[in-house]
Amino acid sequence: MSVDTATVKKVASLARIAISDADAERLAPELNNILGWIEQLGEVDTKDVAPMTAVIPNTLRLRADVITEGQQRDSVLANAPQGEHGFFTVPKVVE
């Protein structure tokens, strides 16, 4: 795929980026180089490579599922600026 200055201007317009004609001429070869690298990546054989989500192996540390004290609504609402009928009260933002 080849990118010309008209394509650069169209992409910039779609992205709502104002560029001059000189910038479009300067960016076209750079975008062509980027697309060349992407085409090279498409040629790499990844058949025996397992999919991964990060460069290093990450495992989630899970906390123990322990039952804690429940029914603390009154102590939680004590920290709230306003509370009413067991719920937080916030100012009305929609008219």
Side-chain angles (χ1 to χ4, degrees):
M1 178 178 182
S2 179
V3 177
D4 57 353
T5 56
T7 306
V8 172
K9 287 181 182 180
K10 179 170 176 135
V11 170
S13 171
L14 292 172
R16 306 279 195 257
I17 300 172
I19 62 171
S20 64
D21 292 337
D23 288 338
E25 290 176 15
R26 184 181 53 82
L27 288 172
E30 290 183 28
L31 291 174
N32 281 323
N33 286 338
I34 292 170
L35 291 175
W37 280 101
I38 293 172
E39 288 176 6
Q40 283 185 356
L41 287 174
E43 296 171 1
V44 175
D45 181 23
T46 58
K47 178 178 62 172
D48 296 327
V49 178
M52 58 184 193
T53 57
V55 178
I56 57 174
N58 291 328
T59 55
L60 293 176
R61 289 177 275 149
L62 301 176
R63 63 181 172 93
D65 190 13
V66 180
I67 297 174
T68 59
E69 295 178 29
Q71 306 298 332
Q72 296 184 9
R73 179 177 65 187
D74 294 333
S75 61
V76 170
L77 285 175
N79 294 325
Q82 290 180 321
E84 195 174 298
H85 305 294
F87 297 101
F88 291 106
T89 305
V90 294
K92 183 178 179 180
V93 295
V94 179
E95 294 184 36

